[in-house]
Amino acid sequence: MNFNDKNYKLSVQLDKIHLRNPTMLASGILGISQSIFERLYDENIGAVVTKSISVNPMKGYPNPTIIPLGGGSYLNAVGLSNPGVAAFSKELSENRNIPIMISLVGSSEKEFSKMVKVFDSLKIIGYEINLSCPHVSKMGMELGDDPEAVNKIVRAVRINTNKPISVKVGVGSIDVVELARVAIEAGANIITAINTLRAMSIDIETMMPVLSNLIGGLSGNAIKPIGIRCVYEISKKLQVPVIGCGGVSSWQDVIEYMIAGASAVQIGSILGSSGLKIFTHITKDLKKYVEKKGLRNISELIGIAHKYQ
Amino acid sequence: MNFNDKNYKLSVQLDKIHLRNPTMLASGILGISQSIFERLYDENIGAVVTKSISVNPMKGYPNPTIIPLGGGSYLNAVGLSNPGVAAFSKELSENRNIPIMISLVGSSEKEFSKMVKVFDSLKIIGYEINLSCPHVSKMGMELGDDPEAVNKIVRAVRINTNKPISVKVGVGSIDVVELARVAIEAGANIITAINTLRAMSIDIETMMPVLSNLIGGLSGNAIKPIGIRCVYEISKKLQVPVIGCGGVSSWQDVIEYMIAGASAVQIGSILGSSGLKIFTHITKDLKKYVEKKGLRNISELIGIAHKYQ
Amino acid sequence: MRTNINKRRIVQIEETIAETPTVKTLVFKDSLSYSAKPGQFLMIWIPRIEEIPMSVMINSKEGYAAVTIRKFGFGSTALFERKKGDLIGLRGPYGKKFTIRKNCKKILIIGGGTGLVPLLRLVSYISKKKIKSTIVMGARTKEEVFFEKLTRKIIDETGSLLIVCTDDGSYGIKGSTVSVMSKLVRDDTFDCVYTCGPELMMKGVVELSNQNSLPVQASLERYMKCGIGICGSCCLDSSLVCQDGTVFNEKQLSTMLDFGISYRDKDGRKVNYA
Amino acid sequence: MRTNINKRRIVQIEETIAETPTVKTLVFKDSLSYSAKPGQFLMIWIPRIEEIPMSVMINSKEGYAAVTIRKFGFGSTALFERKKGDLIGLRGPYGKKFTIRKNCKKILIIGGGTGLVPLLRLVSYISKKKIKSTIVMGARTKEEVFFEKLTRKIIDETGSLLIVCTDDGSYGIKGSTVSVMSKLVRDDTFDCVYTCGPELMMKGVVELSNQNSLPVQASLERYMKCGIGICGSCCLDSSLVCQDGTVFNEKQLSTMLDFGISYRDKDGRKVNYA
Ligand SMILES: Cc1cc2nc3c(=O)[nH]c(=O)nc-3n(C[C@H](O)[C@H](O)[C@H](O)COP(=O)(O)OP(=O)(O)OC[C@H]3O[C@@H](n4cnc5c(N)ncnc54)[C@H](O)[C@@H]3O)c2cc1C
Ligand SMILES: Cc1cc2nc3c(=O)[nH]c(=O)nc-3n(C[C@H](O)[C@H](O)[C@H](O)COP(=O)(O)OP(=O)(O)OC[C@H]3O[C@@H](n4cnc5c(N)ncnc54)[C@H](O)[C@@H]3O)c2cc1C
Ligand SMILES: Cc1cc2nc3c(=O)[nH]c(=O)nc-3n(C[C@H](O)[C@H](O)[C@H](O)COP(=O)(O)O)c2cc1C
Ligand SMILES: Cc1cc2nc3c(=O)[nH]c(=O)nc-3n(C[C@H](O)[C@H](O)[C@H](O)COP(=O)(O)O)c2cc1C
Ligand code: FES
Ligand code: FES
């Protein structure tokens, strides 16, 4: 990587992964189509994370599954709908140059092993293990809240791949730093923080909960300060590469996450108001900022806030 | 209580506490002055909760301690500044008719006993035990995350008073329903949910965290869907009176909390944009709603959402 | 503006109109839907049952709009069964509209089934603009023809033409809309073609238009959860039908390898059209 | 609007003016502060050190404003030591302004120390409105007098009068602002009195105004954390100084039992004024 080259001002390194810029697509957002991934890449995205994939296809919950709450915040209980490992490995089979990270979800270490064995021959940059989806039982957060399960699952993935592994953590009933520590000790290379937070919305006219699943996950603007806090704590205490996620909607948010300690950021819900071109806008603005501040490379910002006590 | 009397359309019952309407002042908001409590009562508030009081006076953290984040959300790390038990019992000594609930904070069961012994002779309606302040070490959430400590503290308070006790819970590293259960089993009568969530804000111009304490608690609009979820889960699973708190800024929010299972609600951060008269506005609008819906009393709404699976 | 359309409104059904035994129109008051553009859709919440996308149907009363539902699966059947006075939730209108080029004088409209809904809003719109149209309405059989009277009323005195056709010939011309269209484009000239209906029908319309070098716009349907470009369930090649569509023009359509070939199921797997 | 003023702006100090050895003015560009009303204040963030309330000082350049700090404790000393080019954060302006009744022709302004800051904005405002004023500036001693030249410049050609007094008589009239005021109200007539400065001084000014049946407005100070009516640390009897004030009139002041008697410390306990 030549930091003097102008084009590399935005490039970042996450374990063995080299990205042309720190923006990534968050899992579960537009994440099931190779054609969409290619379009996002044309919009200058750094990398994409796929929808969380399970061994078998999942239909997810009935609608409503996604509620725009206003003010850039969203509530969802999609129920991890996804095409399953067979169809999805076919979907990605033609991938050549898109930096794709596959998000995995499952209910036992066996399931994870099985998926990695299939996916590992694809041209992908790594895996993200979703241990933090807050609204599907026996998957996601229910495992993430159990350190023993986390340990087993991460090991199962580690054994089957040499590619970088990120573990996606959330605000559940175990301290986020503790969860990240267990994941890293089990062989994860990166931590993604954070997933959505368990939340609910009730319509007062009909007096009924809106999500079909009653409870879902809060994302977007509302959770940004919580995401910043988690990234700060994890990166400061564990000194591992962290991907920030939660409420990013502008280049300023990217910078804030990086100063907090993120090496890259994922962008999700905001696409509901900005469209895919937000990646082009943000990367353009990041470049301007980096030049204005006279940085050789944007990574100089990572974790600057750690020095304050 | 005569439910046919028009004036009682908004009255609610919380364990032994009877309130003329379900609006309360959240702890830490304007909560140190008897004169302010009286003014709030003139603004038709149902009851006030004081700032969390500790045995000794606490200065709190240096400023900035409170940050308006925009969009009706706030971040604070006040550091539990309070005048301490001696000065505060003097402050309340003249209270005659204001329904005041004293919020207590401490680091050991001894401290809580000590305070209750002093406060119990005052004219107050009960106590709220703050086991959820997320940004002061050895107090608040650090205790709330430890079921054994919760049990001891609640018992210590219970032994020294016959007045109703509410335990204020938050989103920490123990499941909120579990924490509530421990509190109730130890003798609490009511649960207040929720406190602020650990969060952080970094200024990207100076690249510095804004709060002097670095990390603080997120409140206001952002956390409402999380508060609704916690109230729903606690009231549905434990069937105890719950006071909803978090992001209430309108009569609609009060109704949503009540449908979720709250018997009353606390209002905090929004005062930063609405002023004290919000209690008059909300109670007026609640009355209109209750009349429009043809309810005999607003309590008919409590927990209506529980019936959906 | 966006916040506005995303905010869920709860409306009361003020009128129900049985179009056929399996198609019903529900009328409600909602100013945002009233001023929806031709081609736009709503996400309709049937409380505690489902949320499904529905094109915005026109209604004659100011400030009012409607949806016209074909009873189909779980959600649409529940909506179909809603009665006057029942509450439903709305968000939207979402999606791009049918666009009409400036010097467009005569257009051809080909619709089938509930695909007529967005097309009627278009017809109503162009009737006010004094643009002439030929409208082809297709159905399998006589019982499934609906909106005929309403359409005649809208185009009354505009010089536009309505042609009804049924597959079995039990009403109107016998034959498919595509076969009717092939005759029309041979005998007459049009500036643009607009279509909505079963995808295989639209595929035929688009191919025929391309063969005749006619600009064409089609309003497509895909499985939708969010309606606002987040979930990706509506993706069709590199497009999001909810945001980039639902209306696509001949240029966009020509790049869509899956158009008329396959769609994605609720779990995101591709399924071929029968 | 509110969102606007609450949003933290980071500004660069573009000029520093030493007023006395312990009082300094820092000039910066900020359009919201530039158009602050007389009596309003800012919450000034000294990054990683403190955030403190400061009245908005006027500046002659369009779009600019300033703060004038007396070096005092930890935060104010840090701010005092900021240099040209340093960054500080601002939010606000907050609080109610000094109000001027319609047919007000001549006013009396009594200020001490940095209490002059909001009063100068008032003087500047009334000078444009052609309202005459008599301004009394008090200090303990000659070295502590500041803003004299600036004030003369503002009132130049307005017919207003500036009187400087010092406790020790080392400059201007010997005596306190209150003693000067007592002579002024005996010999002249005023429509209203405005004051800001040490609370005990203001207490004297208010009492004297009441005795002479003069309307009076005082800008008070209390310990402030939020500045927006959340924390309650600024409470004075049943008022929140940050929101209901900082400017209070004679009617409001008359109900404040603690005015001039006690204030609340950082922990909320009441402390009596010496
Ligand atoms: C933009 C748009 C506009 C539409 N306008 C109309 C209209 O005006 N009138 C009308 O009758 N129908 C319309 N539809 C189709 C209508 O949304 C589906 O028929 C309806 O959602 C079926 O739901 P269900 O629960 O009855 O079906 P299910 O039993 O759940 O599923 C059966 C099939 O219905 C379709 N479907 C189910 N849910 C959805 C969904 N959320 N989004 C898209 N398709 C779905 C799928 O093809 C699915 O395989 C429109 C669809 C779209 C995308
Ligand atoms: C509305 C308002 C306008 C003001 N305008 C000016 C001005 O224009 N120029 C000026 O020099 N000073 C002004 N002050 C006073 C100034 O805010 C304090 O002198 C300053 O905050 C002291 O901070 P410190 O850290 O140096 O003091 P510390 O050493 O922390 O404390 C010493 C004393 O300073 C006061 N103080 C400290 N922090 C605050 C606070 N957050 N809010 C209020 N008082 C505090 C208290 O009396 C405290 O006991 C104003 C105060 C208020 C409330
Ligand atoms: C509709 C939706 C679906 C999601 N699905 C997944 C998922 O499958 N796997 C996962 O790890 N996270 C999922 N998430 C969480 C996001 O990846 C992300 O962590 C969260 O939304 C916070 O980021 P944001 O505020 O930018 O949206 C989903 C979020 C949304 C809104
Ligand atoms: C400035 C501030 C101070 C607070 N202090 C306390 C406190 O002392 N004790 C406590 O239990 N909660 C405290 N809280 C939390 C509130 O009582 C409340 O739980 C939280 O703010 C959510 O409600 P809201 O969204 O209406 O503000 C404080 C909140 C704020 C904003
Ligand atoms: S329906 Fe969700 S992206 Fe189109
Ligand atoms: S400073 Fe917080 S209420 Fe006034």
Side-chain angles (χ1 to χ4, degrees), chain B residues 30 66, chain D residues 223-235 240-243:
Chain B
L30 308 181
I66 302 170
Chain D
Y223 186 67
M224 289 183 183
K225 289 178 188 168
C226 71
I228 52 176
I230 290 182
C231 70
S233 61
C234 68
C235 64
L240 297 172
V241 173
C242 70
Q243 285 284 290

PDB file of all heavy atoms in Angstrom, chain B residues 30 66, chain D residues 223-235 240-243, ligand 6:
ATOM      1  N   LEU B  30     -34.387  18.560  37.019  1.00  0.00           N
ATOM      2  CA  LEU B  30     -34.885  19.630  37.897  1.00  0.00           C
ATOM      3  C   LEU B  30     -35.172  19.157  39.315  1.00  0.00           C
ATOM      4  O   LEU B  30     -35.983  19.767  40.001  1.00  0.00           O
ATOM      5  CB  LEU B  30     -36.208  20.194  37.349  1.00  0.00           C
ATOM      6  CG  LEU B  30     -36.264  20.635  35.895  1.00  0.00           C
ATOM      7  CD1 LEU B  30     -37.658  21.179  35.611  1.00  0.00           C
ATOM      8  CD2 LEU B  30     -35.228  21.695  35.605  1.00  0.00           C
ATOM      9  N   ILE B  66     -23.995  17.552  30.036  1.00  0.00           N
ATOM     10  CA  ILE B  66     -25.253  17.322  29.324  1.00  0.00           C
ATOM     11  C   ILE B  66     -25.127  17.852  27.899  1.00  0.00           C
ATOM     12  O   ILE B  66     -24.793  19.015  27.700  1.00  0.00           O
ATOM     13  CB  ILE B  66     -26.421  18.038  30.035  1.00  0.00           C
ATOM     14  CG1 ILE B  66     -26.521  17.520  31.481  1.00  0.00           C
ATOM     15  CG2 ILE B  66     -27.734  17.824  29.286  1.00  0.00           C
ATOM     16  CD1 ILE B  66     -27.473  18.305  32.351  1.00  0.00           C
TER      17      ILE B  66
ATOM     18  N   TYR D 223     -25.264  28.531  38.970  1.00  0.00           N
ATOM     19  CA  TYR D 223     -24.475  27.431  38.434  1.00  0.00           C
ATOM     20  C   TYR D 223     -25.277  26.727  37.344  1.00  0.00           C
ATOM     21  O   TYR D 223     -26.420  26.366  37.548  1.00  0.00           O
ATOM     22  CB  TYR D 223     -24.110  26.447  39.547  1.00  0.00           C
ATOM     23  CG  TYR D 223     -23.167  25.360  39.074  1.00  0.00           C
ATOM     24  CD1 TYR D 223     -21.865  25.664  38.697  1.00  0.00           C
ATOM     25  CD2 TYR D 223     -23.605  24.051  38.945  1.00  0.00           C
ATOM     26  CE1 TYR D 223     -21.000  24.681  38.239  1.00  0.00           C
ATOM     27  CE2 TYR D 223     -22.744  23.061  38.478  1.00  0.00           C
ATOM     28  CZ  TYR D 223     -21.455  23.391  38.125  1.00  0.00           C
ATOM     29  OH  TYR D 223     -20.615  22.414  37.652  1.00  0.00           O
ATOM     30  N   MET D 224     -24.677  26.541  36.171  1.00  0.00           N
ATOM     31  CA  MET D 224     -25.395  25.963  35.045  1.00  0.00           C
ATOM     32  C   MET D 224     -24.653  24.788  34.450  1.00  0.00           C
ATOM     33  O   MET D 224     -23.466  24.866  34.162  1.00  0.00           O
ATOM     34  CB  MET D 224     -25.575  27.013  33.945  1.00  0.00           C
ATOM     35  CG  MET D 224     -26.563  28.091  34.315  1.00  0.00           C
ATOM     36  SD  MET D 224     -26.792  29.234  32.956  1.00  0.00           S
ATOM     37  CE  MET D 224     -27.914  30.396  33.742  1.00  0.00           C
ATOM     38  N   LYS D 225     -25.414  23.705  34.229  1.00  0.00           N
ATOM     39  CA  LYS D 225     -24.840  22.553  33.544  1.00  0.00           C
ATOM     40  C   LYS D 225     -25.387  22.448  32.126  1.00  0.00           C
ATOM     41  O   LYS D 225     -24.651  22.268  31.176  1.00  0.00           O
ATOM     42  CB  LYS D 225     -25.188  21.267  34.291  1.00  0.00           C
ATOM     43  CG  LYS D 225     -24.475  21.115  35.598  1.00  0.00           C
ATOM     44  CD  LYS D 225     -24.944  19.830  36.264  1.00  0.00           C
ATOM     45  CE  LYS D 225     -24.385  19.765  37.674  1.00  0.00           C
ATOM     46  NZ  LYS D 225     -25.027  18.696  38.428  1.00  0.00           N
ATOM     47  N   CYS D 226     -26.704  22.508  32.031  1.00  0.00           N
ATOM     48  CA  CYS D 226     -27.293  22.240  30.719  1.00  0.00           C
ATOM     49  C   CYS D 226     -27.620  23.516  29.953  1.00  0.00           C
ATOM     50  O   CYS D 226     -27.524  23.555  28.739  1.00  0.00           O
ATOM     51  CB  CYS D 226     -28.541  21.361  30.860  1.00  0.00           C
ATOM     52  SG  CYS D 226     -29.960  22.202  31.589  1.00  0.00           S
ATOM     53  N   GLY D 227     -28.048  24.540  30.665  1.00  0.00           N
ATOM     54  CA  GLY D 227     -28.423  25.791  30.002  1.00  0.00           C
ATOM     55  C   GLY D 227     -29.773  25.740  29.306  1.00  0.00           C
ATOM     56  O   GLY D 227     -30.198  26.715  28.699  1.00  0.00           O
ATOM     57  N   ILE D 228     -30.436  24.583  29.380  1.00  0.00           N
ATOM     58  CA  ILE D 228     -31.670  24.431  28.610  1.00  0.00           C
ATOM     59  C   ILE D 228     -32.845  23.890  29.431  1.00  0.00           C
ATOM     60  O   ILE D 228     -33.819  23.386  28.880  1.00  0.00           O
ATOM     61  CB  ILE D 228     -31.444  23.522  27.382  1.00  0.00           C
ATOM     62  CG1 ILE D 228     -30.793  22.200  27.802  1.00  0.00           C
ATOM     63  CG2 ILE D 228     -30.574  24.223  26.344  1.00  0.00           C
ATOM     64  CD1 ILE D 228     -30.623  21.209  26.662  1.00  0.00           C
ATOM     65  N   GLY D 229     -32.737  23.978  30.749  1.00  0.00           N
ATOM     66  CA  GLY D 229     -33.898  23.621  31.558  1.00  0.00           C
ATOM     67  C   GLY D 229     -34.068  22.156  31.870  1.00  0.00           C
ATOM     68  O   GLY D 229     -35.185  21.701  32.123  1.00  0.00           O
ATOM     69  N   ILE D 230     -32.987  21.391  31.882  1.00  0.00           N
ATOM     70  CA  ILE D 230     -33.091  19.968  32.204  1.00  0.00           C
ATOM     71  C   ILE D 230     -32.569  19.657  33.608  1.00  0.00           C
ATOM     72  O   ILE D 230     -33.199  18.953  34.380  1.00  0.00           O
ATOM     73  CB  ILE D 230     -32.287  19.116  31.178  1.00  0.00           C
ATOM     74  CG1 ILE D 230     -32.978  19.144  29.817  1.00  0.00           C
ATOM     75  CG2 ILE D 230     -32.126  17.680  31.672  1.00  0.00           C
ATOM     76  CD1 ILE D 230     -32.285  18.302  28.759  1.00  0.00           C
ATOM     77  N   CYS D 231     -31.408  20.195  33.929  1.00  0.00           N
ATOM     78  CA  CYS D 231     -30.698  19.680  35.101  1.00  0.00           C
ATOM     79  C   CYS D 231     -31.154  20.292  36.415  1.00  0.00           C
ATOM     80  O   CYS D 231     -30.985  19.693  37.470  1.00  0.00           O
ATOM     81  CB  CYS D 231     -29.194  19.894  34.931  1.00  0.00           C
ATOM     82  SG  CYS D 231     -28.689  21.623  35.022  1.00  0.00           S
ATOM     83  N   GLY D 232     -31.694  21.497  36.380  1.00  0.00           N
ATOM     84  CA  GLY D 232     -32.167  22.112  37.607  1.00  0.00           C
ATOM     85  C   GLY D 232     -31.083  22.749  38.449  1.00  0.00           C
ATOM     86  O   GLY D 232     -31.374  23.312  39.502  1.00  0.00           O
ATOM     87  N   SER D 233     -29.832  22.681  38.001  1.00  0.00           N
ATOM     88  CA  SER D 233     -28.772  23.216  38.854  1.00  0.00           C
ATOM     89  C   SER D 233     -28.851  24.736  38.999  1.00  0.00           C
ATOM     90  O   SER D 233     -28.339  25.292  39.949  1.00  0.00           O
ATOM     91  CB  SER D 233     -27.399  22.804  38.322  1.00  0.00           C
ATOM     92  OG  SER D 233     -27.217  23.319  37.029  1.00  0.00           O
ATOM     93  N   CYS D 234     -29.509  25.402  38.062  1.00  0.00           N
ATOM     94  CA  CYS D 234     -29.580  26.863  38.084  1.00  0.00           C
ATOM     95  C   CYS D 234     -30.803  27.384  38.827  1.00  0.00           C
ATOM     96  O   CYS D 234     -31.128  28.557  38.724  1.00  0.00           O
ATOM     97  CB  CYS D 234     -29.594  27.395  36.662  1.00  0.00           C
ATOM     98  SG  CYS D 234     -31.121  26.960  35.805  1.00  0.00           S
ATOM     99  N   CYS D 235     -31.508  26.489  39.558  1.00  0.00           N
ATOM    100  CA  CYS D 235     -32.789  26.946  40.099  1.00  0.00           C
ATOM    101  C   CYS D 235     -32.631  27.997  41.186  1.00  0.00           C
ATOM    102  O   CYS D 235     -31.720  27.958  42.004  1.00  0.00           O
ATOM    103  CB  CYS D 235     -33.652  25.775  40.556  1.00  0.00           C
ATOM    104  SG  CYS D 235     -32.950  24.861  41.920  1.00  0.00           S
ATOM    105  N   LEU D 240     -36.030  28.743  36.822  1.00  0.00           N
ATOM    106  CA  LEU D 240     -34.792  28.234  36.257  1.00  0.00           C
ATOM    107  C   LEU D 240     -34.111  29.420  35.604  1.00  0.00           C
ATOM    108  O   LEU D 240     -34.633  30.008  34.654  1.00  0.00           O
ATOM    109  CB  LEU D 240     -35.088  27.166  35.211  1.00  0.00           C
ATOM    110  CG  LEU D 240     -35.794  25.921  35.754  1.00  0.00           C
ATOM    111  CD1 LEU D 240     -36.213  25.010  34.611  1.00  0.00           C
ATOM    112  CD2 LEU D 240     -34.886  25.185  36.735  1.00  0.00           C
ATOM    113  N   VAL D 241     -32.960  29.784  36.125  1.00  0.00           N
ATOM    114  CA  VAL D 241     -32.305  30.994  35.624  1.00  0.00           C
ATOM    115  C   VAL D 241     -31.972  30.865  34.133  1.00  0.00           C
ATOM    116  O   VAL D 241     -32.104  31.811  33.371  1.00  0.00           O
ATOM    117  CB  VAL D 241     -31.056  31.337  36.469  1.00  0.00           C
ATOM    118  CG1 VAL D 241     -30.273  32.487  35.850  1.00  0.00           C
ATOM    119  CG2 VAL D 241     -31.480  31.687  37.892  1.00  0.00           C
ATOM    120  N   CYS D 242     -31.608  29.656  33.700  1.00  0.00           N
ATOM    121  CA  CYS D 242     -31.190  29.485  32.302  1.00  0.00           C
ATOM    122  C   CYS D 242     -32.348  29.675  31.315  1.00  0.00           C
ATOM    123  O   CYS D 242     -32.139  30.142  30.205  1.00  0.00           O
ATOM    124  CB  CYS D 242     -30.548  28.115  32.089  1.00  0.00           C
ATOM    125  SG  CYS D 242     -31.662  26.709  32.176  1.00  0.00           S
ATOM    126  N   GLN D 243     -33.547  29.323  31.737  1.00  0.00           N
ATOM    127  CA  GLN D 243     -34.683  29.337  30.826  1.00  0.00           C
ATOM    128  C   GLN D 243     -35.647  30.476  31.119  1.00  0.00           C
ATOM    129  O   GLN D 243     -36.071  31.187  30.227  1.00  0.00           O
ATOM    130  CB  GLN D 243     -35.469  28.021  30.940  1.00  0.00           C
ATOM    131  CG  GLN D 243     -34.781  26.875  30.279  1.00  0.00           C
ATOM    132  CD  GLN D 243     -34.928  26.956  28.776  1.00  0.00           C
ATOM    133  OE1 GLN D 243     -36.013  26.770  28.242  1.00  0.00           O
ATOM    134  NE2 GLN D 243     -33.851  27.269  28.083  1.00  0.00           N
TER     135      GLN D 243
HETATM  136  S1  FES E   6     -28.722  25.016  33.724  1.00  0.00           S
HETATM  137 FE1  FES E   6     -29.766  23.142  33.682  1.00  0.00          FE
HETATM  138  S2  FES E   6     -31.781  23.726  34.199  1.00  0.00           S
HETATM  139 FE2  FES E   6     -30.751  25.598  34.056  1.00  0.00          FE
END
